[in-house]
Amino acid sequence: MAHIIVVGNEKGGAGKSTVSMHVASALARLGHKVAALDLDLRQRSLGRYVENRAAFIKEHDVDLPQVRLHELPEIDPATLNPGENVYDHRLSAAISGLEADNDFILIDCPGSHTRLSQVAHSLADTLITPLNDSFIDFDLLAHTDPTGEKILGPSVYSEMVWNARQLRAQAGLKPIDWVVIRNRVGTQRMVNKEKMERAVKMLSKRIGFRIAPGFSERVIFRELFPRGLTLLDLRDVGVRQLNISNIAARQELRDMMKALNLPDVNVKF
């Protein structure tokens, strides 16, 4: 039975697709069979990433680990019972068709609230929520007082995750392992950075998620997207001498994969 990883955050620009592609490719490189679903049916950033990778592999005749992208199957609305949602059936049909033949199914959700995203969260064994190091992004998880020191209550996204947890409990499934990863954390000690760190730690205890390190802001991610490559592919495509930024980014990915603590994954790269 495949382990389902959902990458979700209802705010755009948090790095969901970058995280999705690197996690999926790292798992494939470690020898696991990985299927991917992109639920952002309009923008399709993860889908474009995987397609760019396939095109690069074909053009340059290189052997790189591949993530298999799958589309949601079409469902005839006439086959549904009254009150049933077509998107529920499209996602469940996709998952049931992939579970037996893959070790992991990674689902990249859109940066907005959709029915597909809502259903995907209830299917997650591991939920990864990338979060920019900003109280603008933090507001999606919880509301704070003007000082940023006191949490007033959970916000819309946290409530959706809570509902997903309730649905899983009712179905007798194991709890969601929710991991919030902090992206674009500055290297210098700043007041905002320290406030964010305290707020995230406080909220993690209150609503139940683990905290993991994410990616710093680096040009390399924007440069790799058109070719569908990840940090782990650089030496395979002829980059013999990695610069300091590349090495640091690889270490960030290694630290993130270890912190995710996915089943049967021994991080060696």
Side-chain angles (χ1 to χ4, degrees):
M1 191 70 71
H3 185 91
I4 299 176
I5 304 170
V6 173
V7 182
N9 181 333
E10 290 182 2
K11 186 178 184 303
K16 291 187 298 296
S17 296
T18 298
V19 168
S20 294
M21 189 61 187
H22 278 77
V23 169
S25 293
L27 290 172
R29 183 171 288 272
L30 292 169
H32 298 283
K33 293 185 67 176
V34 185
L37 295 169
D38 189 343
L39 300 191
D40 191 337
L41 304 181
R42 180 174 176 83
Q43 189 167 337
R44 295 186 69 255
S45 295
L46 177 62
R48 292 290 300 140
Y49 214 135
V50 175
E51 290 165 357
N52 292 345
R53 185 179 187 83
F56 182 89
I57 290 172
K58 182 177 180 180
E59 179 181 352
H60 296 274
D61 193 25
V62 291
D63 183 20
L64 297 176
Q66 293 198 56
V67 177
R68 303 297 179 184
L69 182 70
H70 298 266
E71 303 295 333
L72 296 179
E74 295 295 335
I75 301 293
D76 183 359
T79 63
L80 302 181
N81 295 320
E84 290 185 329
N85 190 295
V86 67
Y87 289 109
D88 295 8
H89 284 263
R90 292 185 71 188
L91 187 53
S92 62
I95 295 296
S96 63
L98 296 171
E99 277 190 313
D101 297 327
N102 290 279
D103 302 313
F104 293 92
I105 300 172
L106 187 140
I107 304 175
D108 187 21
C109 293
S112 59
H113 182 80
T114 66
R115 177 68 183 184
L116 273 175
S117 181
Q118 186 179 2
V119 175
H121 279 67
S122 68
L123 299 174
D125 296 308
T126 297
L127 171 61
I128 304 173
T129 300
L131 184 73
N132 288 332
D133 207 47
S134 161
F135 276 101
I136 297 175
D137 284 49
F138 185 83
D139 191 65
L140 189 73
L141 295 180
H143 300 304
T144 66
D145 69 352
T147 68
E149 299 287 347
K150 182 179 180 181
I151 294 173
L152 304 179
S155 196
V156 288
Y157 182 73
S158 295
E159 290 176 352
M160 186 182 78
V161 176
W162 171 259
N163 290 333
R165 284 172 158 169
Q166 293 296 99
L167 288 173
R168 286 181 66 86
Q170 292 168 11
L173 301 174
K174 64 181 180 181
I176 298 171
D177 182 17
W178 188 11
V179 185
V180 172
I181 64 173
R182 294 177 63 196
N183 276 340
R184 300 187 175 99
V185 178
T187 56
Q188 297 179 337
R189 294 193 65 83
M190 301 177 67
V191 173
N192 179 75
K193 177 183 175 182
E194 293 174 353
K195 281 186 175 182
M196 273 290 295
E197 184 173 357
R198 289 196 296 270
V200 172
K201 284 183 178 179
M202 201 177 350
L203 186 62
S204 71
K205 296 174 182 177
R206 182 164 174 175
I207 64 176
F209 59 76
R210 298 191 292 115
I211 305 169
F215 292 128
S216 300
E217 179 66 46
R218 300 183 190 278
V219 176
I220 186 66
F221 297 119
R222 294 190 290 273
E223 292 177 340
L224 291 176
F225 175 79
R227 293 175 288 169
L229 301 179
T230 71
L231 296 164
L232 301 178
D233 302 317
L234 295 180
R235 286 201 173 96
D236 292 339
V237 299
V239 180
R240 299 303 175 196
Q241 189 66 38
L242 301 182
N243 61 38
I244 294 176
S245 179
N246 296 159
I247 294 171
R250 280 174 60 96
Q251 184 60 48
E252 289 173 353
L253 176 58
R254 186 180 294 113
D255 292 342
M256 182 175 70
M257 291 298 297
K258 288 180 178 179
L260 291 178
N261 195 30
L262 297 169
D264 302 317
V265 173
N266 185 8
V267 181
K268 290 184 178 181
F269 52 73

